[in-house]
Amino acid sequence: MIDGFGRNIDYLRVSITDRCNFRCLYCMPEEGVPKKDHNDILSFEQMESIIEVLAELGIKKIRVTGGEPLVRKGCVDFIDKISKIKGIEQVCLTTNGFYIDSHKEELKNTRLDLLNISLDSLNEDKFKTITRCGDIKEVLSGIETAREIGVKNIKINAVLMKGINDDEIREFAEFGKEKNVKIRFIEIMPFSICNSYEKYGISADEIIKRYDLIRTPDKDYSNNAETYKFKDGLEVGFIRPISKKFCAACNRVRLTADGKLLLCLHGTAYIDLKDKLGNKEAIKNAILEGIMNKPKEHGIDLGVIQNREMNSIGG
Ligand code: SAM
Ligand code: SF4
């Protein structure tokens, strides 16, 4: 599927719930989000029917995300089902890691090509401050479990925050080596309600300079991450939506739990698919027509801020 700027759109992120057991300060309000009416949320069968159409249109890779995807009952079964849809070559999961242990057996028996676990600090107290309620022990145990059950490609994502975790870059690099997982720091992005960008925003450039990091070829760092090395060879990656936007190479769209296909993480353009459920042709035509409205680039630098929170988009 080619958009109006000639980009090949072959990657879908599906947010299966906007609910979460954590309240990360840059993502969710402390009091949580109002519970959506059951009827407003797509069933897994409805999501699968949309994904089948998207796969016919050229989507090859899917990332299941949220909110916290593992809080929705049936998540792993859903992953298993979509991995079998014709045309889907890669299925990934993004999770805060808390429920990996309790899903161990299911995950062991499910194809997962890539697992991203979010972990913003290696310090127990800082971790609690960032997540407002999370227990780092559960997440660290989840990482061990994922390794133990043989998930081959595990990545740790940390949102880079000035004054909070920008002094932990080296510790993370060591952790990555010890656990044989890739570390990627993501520049914090502004969203309308939980806007922590002004307070905690810091450019990857500042970190690269501070630690004298050396750019290295990106090997298999996917998703627009750039790889850097410390002088002794320890590696970290940076995802830089703010300081080096990668919109020209954007290949993704995002399906929300309430049935909207978002065309840009930071824009307002979307295709409403919920009212077309049950009509495959209508879904297909709406996507083919709507994809031409995918914006050329995000406008954070111009002050354009998404009015949905990250917990409903999924990253
Ligand atoms: N709950 C899961 C998790 O935390 O991994 C999946 C959903 S979460 C919204 C997906 C990713 O978005 C996480 O890595 C999270 O750190 C990142 N994220 C959330 N808000 C962000 C923000 N304002 N700026 C940058 N990354 C953000
Ligand atoms: Fe939950 Fe993930 Fe958002 Fe943190 S980043 S509040 S774990 S959805």
Side-chain angles (χ1 to χ4, degrees):
M1 180 166 48
I2 306 292
D3 78 355
F5 297 94
R7 295 170 294 197
N8 184 17
I9 311 302
D10 60 2
Y11 179 15
L12 173 73
R13 292 189 173 185
V14 189
S15 171
I16 62 171
T17 177
D18 60 359
R19 307 199 66 73
C20 186
N21 54 319
F22 288 179
R23 299 281 181 271
C24 299
L25 46 87
Y26 48 72
C27 177
M28 256 186 135
E30 192 157 11
E31 64 280 12
V33 287
K35 195 169 185 327
K36 283 211 167 71
D37 192 281
H38 184 70
N39 296 324
D40 291 335
I41 297 297
L42 300 194
S43 66
F44 281 134
E45 290 73 22
Q46 289 171 326
M47 288 184 184
E48 281 158 40
S49 70
I50 292 175
I51 293 171
E52 275 165 17
V53 177
L54 282 160
E56 280 175 25
L57 292 174
I59 294 292
K60 293 187 170 63
K61 173 176 169 180
I62 302 180
R63 173 175 302 284
V64 175
T65 176
E68 174 45 42
L70 289 172
V71 301
R72 183 162 176 184
K73 204 163 163 266
C75 169
V76 182
D77 193 38
F78 173 68
I79 293 174
D80 190 53
K81 292 226 172 72
I82 59 176
S83 71
K84 293 177 178 143
I85 290 176
K86 193 165 168 244
I88 300 304
E89 294 171 2
Q90 211 185 33
V91 185
C92 325
L93 172 67
T94 297
T95 171
N96 63 30
F98 188 90
Y99 291 112
I100 292 181
D101 280 357
S102 55
H103 288 77
K104 180 177 174 182
E105 288 311 312
E106 280 177 278
L107 286 167
K108 201 155 93 183
N109 298 316
T110 304
R111 178 184 131 201
L112 203 54
D113 300 298
L114 213 152
L115 177 63
N116 283 2
I117 302 173
S118 301
L119 175 63
D120 293 336
S121 176
L122 295 169
N123 173 291
E124 194 167 344
D125 294 334
K126 276 196 214 172
F127 184 81
K128 183 143 268 160
T129 305
I130 297 164
T131 57
R132 293 192 180 113
C133 55
D135 182 351
I136 195 172
K137 289 192 207 80
E138 304 279 351
V139 180
L140 294 176
S141 169
I143 294 170
E144 283 308 324
T145 299
R147 296 172 68 212
E148 192 187 310
I149 63 176
V151 181
K152 287 199 186 61
N153 205 343
I154 303 174
K155 290 177 182 161
I156 304 296
N157 286 339
V159 173
L160 194 55
M161 283 172 277
K162 183 172 61 190
I164 301 220
N165 63 2
D166 60 333
D167 58 348
E168 290 190 67
I169 312 298
R170 178 74 197 181
E171 280 88 338
F172 266 105
E174 284 165 5
F175 180 81
K177 181 156 192 240
E178 183 195 323
K179 305 287 179 196
N180 192 25
V181 294
K182 294 192 173 74
I183 306 290
R184 293 120 43 102
F185 290 97
I186 310 173
E187 286 177 338
I188 196 165
M189 295 175 270
F191 289 88
S192 59
I193 303 172
C194 310
N195 197 348
S196 308
Y197 176 69
E198 298 300 333
K199 200 165 170 195
Y200 302 121
I202 177 169
S203 165
D205 284 323
E206 205 176 315
I207 302 294
I208 291 162
K209 219 164 156 189
R210 191 192 299 169
Y211 291 92
D212 224 354
L213 300 176
I214 308 150
R215 180 74 202 271
T216 67
D218 287 318
K219 288 191 273 175
D220 60 344
Y221 271 103
S222 57
N223 286 339
N224 311 303
E226 290 182 352
T227 315
Y228 283 81
K229 269 188 186 160
F230 284 85
K231 287 211 176 73
D232 62 1
L234 285 188
E235 282 187 2
V236 287
F238 292 95
I239 300 177
R240 318 175 52 174
I242 309 288
S243 62
K244 218 187 221 184
K245 60 181 175 184
F246 37 79
C247 306
C250 183
N251 61 345
R252 61 196 67 169
V253 285
R254 296 170 168 87
L255 181 63
T256 62
D258 56 2
K260 295 182 170 62
L261 194 69
L262 302 184
L263 300 174
C264 174
L265 178 57
H266 297 284
T268 47
Y270 67 83
I271 308 165
D272 199 346
L273 298 177
K274 192 162 183 283
D275 59 356
K276 298 169 188 68
L277 284 165
N279 185 340
K280 204 172 153 177
E281 271 316 294
I283 293 177
K284 190 179 252 180
N285 290 336
I287 296 172
L288 281 174
E289 196 180 306
I291 201 70
M292 298 320 262
N293 297 325
K294 184 172 162 64
K296 184 173 178 214
E297 53 189 18
H298 72 64
I300 294 177
D301 35 348
L302 305 171
V304 179
I305 293 182
Q306 172 65 281
N307 62 0
R308 279 177 164 252
E309 285 314 302
M310 195 64 142
N311 70 297
S312 68
I313 309 171

